[in-house]
Amino acid sequence: MLGRLNHVGIAVPSIEDAKATYRDLYGVPADAITETRELPAQGVKFAFVNVANSQIELIEPLGEDSPIRNFLEKNPKGGQHHVCFEVPDIYVARDEMVVRGAKVLNEPRIGAHGTPIIFVHPKDSNGVLIELMETPKAAHG
Ligand code: CO
């Protein structure tokens, strides 16, 4: 059921500084880096760095009770936060994960790509927080 790797999520104290790292240190063209947007319901700001075969999702806390504040307290310079795979249907995936005994952390909700997502607890996945995201209906560019 696991589809394409969609992105790797990196929590950072400053998205603008992290964008500069990808642009200036790694030579990613400025037009391959998206504008920073806000997802207030999830307590994050985000931007995507487009690379040849995938994306890096930069996330920065938004608001005092952002769920990534804890992570950044433990990793003040930022760090790899989650890995996101696509699935064809988020509700089917959620139900299947529950049947298989995984701890699903949230009801499906709209994520940064505008399609529903869930998170699966790191304890079920070798210490890695896994995001499952319904594949966007439009074809991949
Ligand atoms: Co993500």
mmCIF file of all heavy atoms in Angstrom, residues 69-89:
data_model
loop_
_atom_site.group_PDB
_atom_site.id
_atom_site.type_symbol
_atom_site.label_atom_id
_atom_site.label_comp_id
_atom_site.label_asym_id
_atom_site.label_seq_id
_atom_site.Cartn_x
_atom_site.Cartn_y
_atom_site.Cartn_z
ATOM 1 N N ARG A 69 7.537 22.393 18.645
ATOM 2 C CA ARG A 69 8.396 23.135 19.593
ATOM 3 C C ARG A 69 9.251 22.192 20.444
ATOM 4 O O ARG A 69 10.437 22.428 20.656
ATOM 5 C CB ARG A 69 7.561 24.026 20.512
ATOM 6 C CG ARG A 69 7.164 25.296 19.845
ATOM 7 C CD ARG A 69 6.934 26.438 20.801
ATOM 8 N NE ARG A 69 6.391 27.554 20.038
ATOM 9 C CZ ARG A 69 7.134 28.386 19.325
ATOM 10 N NH1 ARG A 69 8.447 28.264 19.300
ATOM 11 N NH2 ARG A 69 6.577 29.351 18.632
ATOM 12 N N ASN A 70 8.624 21.121 20.921
ATOM 13 C CA ASN A 70 9.356 20.132 21.724
ATOM 14 C C ASN A 70 10.544 19.572 20.971
ATOM 15 O O ASN A 70 11.649 19.451 21.504
ATOM 16 C CB ASN A 70 8.426 18.951 22.039
ATOM 17 C CG ASN A 70 7.993 18.987 23.477
ATOM 18 O OD1 ASN A 70 8.487 19.819 24.250
ATOM 19 N ND2 ASN A 70 7.086 18.108 23.837
ATOM 20 N N PHE A 71 10.286 19.210 19.708
ATOM 21 C CA PHE A 71 11.331 18.633 18.867
ATOM 22 C C PHE A 71 12.497 19.608 18.737
ATOM 23 O O PHE A 71 13.666 19.218 18.835
ATOM 24 C CB PHE A 71 10.750 18.301 17.484
ATOM 25 C CG PHE A 71 11.729 17.666 16.542
ATOM 26 C CD1 PHE A 71 11.850 16.281 16.475
ATOM 27 C CD2 PHE A 71 12.531 18.442 15.714
ATOM 28 C CE1 PHE A 71 12.764 15.696 15.603
ATOM 29 C CE2 PHE A 71 13.444 17.862 14.846
ATOM 30 C CZ PHE A 71 13.559 16.480 14.799
ATOM 31 N N LEU A 72 12.195 20.884 18.555
ATOM 32 C CA LEU A 72 13.264 21.869 18.375
ATOM 33 C C LEU A 72 13.983 22.168 19.690
ATOM 34 O O LEU A 72 15.150 22.559 19.663
ATOM 35 C CB LEU A 72 12.717 23.150 17.746
ATOM 36 C CG LEU A 72 12.496 23.035 16.234
ATOM 37 C CD1 LEU A 72 11.774 24.273 15.707
ATOM 38 C CD2 LEU A 72 13.812 22.834 15.488
ATOM 39 N N GLU A 73 13.299 21.966 20.815
ATOM 40 C CA GLU A 73 14.010 22.115 22.079
ATOM 41 C C GLU A 73 15.088 21.044 22.212
ATOM 42 O O GLU A 73 16.184 21.304 22.703
ATOM 43 C CB GLU A 73 13.034 22.055 23.259
ATOM 44 C CG GLU A 73 12.474 23.426 23.599
ATOM 45 C CD GLU A 73 11.236 23.370 24.487
ATOM 46 O OE1 GLU A 73 11.149 22.431 25.307
ATOM 47 O OE2 GLU A 73 10.381 24.256 24.351
ATOM 48 N N LYS A 74 14.769 19.838 21.711
ATOM 49 C CA LYS A 74 15.747 18.750 21.755
ATOM 50 C C LYS A 74 16.769 18.853 20.630
ATOM 51 O O LYS A 74 17.867 18.300 20.730
ATOM 52 C CB LYS A 74 15.035 17.399 21.662
ATOM 53 C CG LYS A 74 14.186 17.078 22.872
ATOM 54 C CD LYS A 74 13.459 15.733 22.691
ATOM 55 C CE LYS A 74 12.297 15.607 23.658
ATOM 56 N NZ LYS A 74 11.162 14.906 23.065
ATOM 57 N N ASN A 75 16.390 19.515 19.564
ATOM 58 C CA ASN A 75 17.260 19.640 18.377
ATOM 59 C C ASN A 75 17.308 21.106 17.948
ATOM 60 O O ASN A 75 16.692 21.497 16.961
ATOM 61 C CB ASN A 75 16.700 18.801 17.209
ATOM 62 C CG ASN A 75 16.491 17.349 17.582
ATOM 63 O OD1 ASN A 75 17.402 16.550 17.512
ATOM 64 N ND2 ASN A 75 15.274 17.014 17.992
ATOM 65 N N PRO A 76 18.036 21.921 18.717
ATOM 66 C CA PRO A 76 17.941 23.380 18.515
ATOM 67 C C PRO A 76 18.356 23.859 17.124
ATOM 68 O O PRO A 76 17.879 24.897 16.672
ATOM 69 C CB PRO A 76 18.882 23.957 19.584
ATOM 70 C CG PRO A 76 19.250 22.832 20.478
ATOM 71 C CD PRO A 76 18.921 21.540 19.806
ATOM 72 N N LYS A 77 19.210 23.114 16.445
ATOM 73 C CA LYS A 77 19.603 23.528 15.097
ATOM 74 C C LYS A 77 18.653 22.998 14.029
ATOM 75 O O LYS A 77 18.834 23.250 12.843
ATOM 76 C CB LYS A 77 21.019 23.033 14.775
ATOM 77 C CG LYS A 77 22.106 23.735 15.569
ATOM 78 C CD LYS A 77 23.451 23.101 15.247
ATOM 79 C CE LYS A 77 24.575 23.705 16.065
ATOM 80 N NZ LYS A 77 24.871 25.092 15.686
ATOM 81 N N GLY A 78 17.659 22.219 14.469
ATOM 82 C CA GLY A 78 16.751 21.573 13.538
ATOM 83 C C GLY A 78 17.143 20.119 13.370
ATOM 84 O O GLY A 78 18.151 19.676 13.915
ATOM 85 N N GLY A 79 16.308 19.385 12.645
ATOM 86 C CA GLY A 79 16.613 17.975 12.438
ATOM 87 C C GLY A 79 15.544 17.306 11.595
ATOM 88 O O GLY A 79 14.483 17.878 11.328
ATOM 89 N N GLN A 80 15.867 16.082 11.198
ATOM 90 C CA GLN A 80 14.925 15.329 10.370
ATOM 91 C C GLN A 80 13.739 14.915 11.227
ATOM 92 O O GLN A 80 13.906 14.262 12.251
ATOM 93 C CB GLN A 80 15.617 14.118 9.760
ATOM 94 C CG GLN A 80 14.800 13.477 8.643
ATOM 95 C CD GLN A 80 14.235 12.157 9.053
ATOM 96 O OE1 GLN A 80 14.968 11.288 9.504
ATOM 97 N NE2 GLN A 80 12.931 11.996 8.918
ATOM 98 N N HIS A 81 12.561 15.310 10.833
ATOM 99 C CA HIS A 81 11.367 15.190 11.681
ATOM 100 C C HIS A 81 10.432 14.071 11.255
ATOM 101 O O HIS A 81 9.902 13.349 12.086
ATOM 102 C CB HIS A 81 10.632 16.537 11.666
ATOM 103 C CG HIS A 81 9.396 16.578 12.504
ATOM 104 N ND1 HIS A 81 8.134 16.364 11.989
ATOM 105 C CD2 HIS A 81 9.228 16.796 13.829
ATOM 106 C CE1 HIS A 81 7.247 16.455 12.972
ATOM 107 N NE2 HIS A 81 7.877 16.716 14.087
ATOM 108 N N HIS A 82 10.192 13.914 9.950
ATOM 109 C CA HIS A 82 9.316 12.841 9.470
ATOM 110 C C HIS A 82 9.620 12.522 8.016
ATOM 111 O O HIS A 82 10.321 13.269 7.338
ATOM 112 C CB HIS A 82 7.838 13.200 9.647
ATOM 113 C CG HIS A 82 7.360 14.366 8.811
ATOM 114 N ND1 HIS A 82 7.435 15.667 9.239
ATOM 115 C CD2 HIS A 82 6.814 14.412 7.578
ATOM 116 C CE1 HIS A 82 6.938 16.473 8.306
ATOM 117 N NE2 HIS A 82 6.560 15.734 7.274
ATOM 118 N N VAL A 83 9.088 11.372 7.587
ATOM 119 C CA VAL A 83 9.185 10.958 6.184
ATOM 120 C C VAL A 83 7.760 10.754 5.705
ATOM 121 O O VAL A 83 6.933 10.191 6.431
ATOM 122 C CB VAL A 83 10.000 9.647 6.060
ATOM 123 C CG1 VAL A 83 9.988 9.131 4.630
ATOM 124 C CG2 VAL A 83 11.429 9.870 6.539
ATOM 125 N N CYS A 84 7.449 11.240 4.510
ATOM 126 C CA CYS A 84 6.077 11.177 4.001
ATOM 127 C C CYS A 84 5.969 10.313 2.756
ATOM 128 O O CYS A 84 6.655 10.564 1.759
ATOM 129 C CB CYS A 84 5.566 12.578 3.689
ATOM 130 S SG CYS A 84 3.897 12.579 2.978
ATOM 131 N N PHE A 85 5.098 9.310 2.847
ATOM 132 C CA PHE A 85 4.806 8.448 1.703
ATOM 133 C C PHE A 85 3.375 8.689 1.239
ATOM 134 O O PHE A 85 2.495 8.979 2.051
ATOM 135 C CB PHE A 85 4.932 6.968 2.097
ATOM 136 C CG PHE A 85 6.308 6.560 2.491
ATOM 137 C CD1 PHE A 85 6.658 6.455 3.831
ATOM 138 C CD2 PHE A 85 7.272 6.280 1.532
ATOM 139 C CE1 PHE A 85 7.933 6.076 4.213
ATOM 140 C CE2 PHE A 85 8.557 5.896 1.905
ATOM 141 C CZ PHE A 85 8.888 5.793 3.245
ATOM 142 N N GLU A 86 3.163 8.519 -0.053
ATOM 143 C CA GLU A 86 1.813 8.646 -0.602
ATOM 144 C C GLU A 86 1.058 7.321 -0.481
ATOM 145 O O GLU A 86 1.665 6.246 -0.541
ATOM 146 C CB GLU A 86 1.876 9.062 -2.078
ATOM 147 C CG GLU A 86 2.460 10.442 -2.260
ATOM 148 C CD GLU A 86 2.490 10.873 -3.718
ATOM 149 O OE1 GLU A 86 1.869 10.199 -4.575
ATOM 150 O OE2 GLU A 86 3.153 11.890 -3.997
ATOM 151 N N VAL A 87 -0.251 7.446 -0.289
ATOM 152 C CA VAL A 87 -1.148 6.289 -0.326
ATOM 153 C C VAL A 87 -2.338 6.672 -1.203
ATOM 154 O O VAL A 87 -2.679 7.848 -1.323
ATOM 155 C CB VAL A 87 -1.633 5.887 1.091
ATOM 156 C CG1 VAL A 87 -0.477 5.375 1.941
ATOM 157 C CG2 VAL A 87 -2.346 7.043 1.784
ATOM 158 N N PRO A 88 -2.989 5.665 -1.822
ATOM 159 C CA PRO A 88 -4.087 5.998 -2.735
ATOM 160 C C PRO A 88 -5.308 6.561 -2.017
ATOM 161 O O PRO A 88 -6.002 7.410 -2.557
ATOM 162 C CB PRO A 88 -4.435 4.657 -3.403
ATOM 163 C CG PRO A 88 -3.427 3.669 -2.965
ATOM 164 C CD PRO A 88 -2.630 4.240 -1.839
ATOM 165 N N ASP A 89 -5.582 6.068 -0.796
ATOM 166 C CA ASP A 89 -6.798 6.492 -0.075
ATOM 167 C C ASP A 89 -6.458 6.564 1.408
ATOM 168 O O ASP A 89 -6.097 5.556 2.020
ATOM 169 C CB ASP A 89 -7.926 5.478 -0.327
ATOM 170 C CG ASP A 89 -9.229 5.890 0.353
ATOM 171 O OD1 ASP A 89 -9.224 6.133 1.591
ATOM 172 O OD2 ASP A 89 -10.252 5.974 -0.347
#
